[in-house]
Amino acid sequence: IGFEWVLRILTEWEVRFDELKTYKENYGDCNVPKRWSENPELARWVETQRTQYRLYQEGGKSPITEERIQPLEDIGFSWDPREDIWQQR
């Protein structure tokens, strides 16, 4: 028939990013609690993204790339939620 099916496996990063988008739809922000019992993997992933971003900003070795930073920023991800709260006061 001429169909060519392509199976694309999502990376763990993509899976967690999709979960973060769902979290934002449900809660209105990307500030997953550090000890969120509903999805502890997502909570750890969010904290890891922030840690890796700090390393990246400081010029250290980090696996985070602009290709990952931009989509996070596009959905309103906060790299430092405590600073954001402080700035809002």
Side-chain angles (χ1 to χ4, degrees):
I1 297 180
F3 286 106
E4 184 176 326
W5 297 98
V6 177
L7 177 62
R8 185 171 179 287
I9 309 249
L10 294 176
T11 66
E12 180 181 353
W13 194 93
E14 292 167 315
V15 169
R16 297 289 174 248
F17 182 70
D18 286 344
E19 291 174 350
L20 181 60
K21 290 190 293 187
T22 300
Y23 178 93
K24 182 175 181 178
E25 289 172 12
N26 293 332
Y27 297 96
D29 60 44
C30 296
N31 298 328
V32 179
K34 285 185 181 184
R35 290 177 176 80
W36 194 43
S37 61
E38 287 186 44
N39 189 338
E41 293 84 9
L42 178 60
R44 277 191 299 276
W45 181 84
V46 165
E47 190 61 26
T48 298
Q49 300 315 296
R50 291 184 176 128
T51 299
Q52 295 302 327
Y53 182 75
R54 278 191 296 276
L55 287 171
Y56 176 82
Q57 291 294 99
E58 295 167 358
K61 187 174 181 182
S62 171
I64 202 163
T65 62
E66 287 294 328
E67 291 77 23
R68 290 184 173 177
I69 292 168
Q70 194 58 56
L72 286 165
E73 290 182 346
D74 288 346
I75 65 167
F77 187 79
S78 172
W79 298 108
D80 190 344
R82 283 183 277 176
E83 178 67 21
D84 293 346
I85 291 168
W86 177 255
Q87 293 295 329
Q88 290 173 1
R89 291 181 178 182

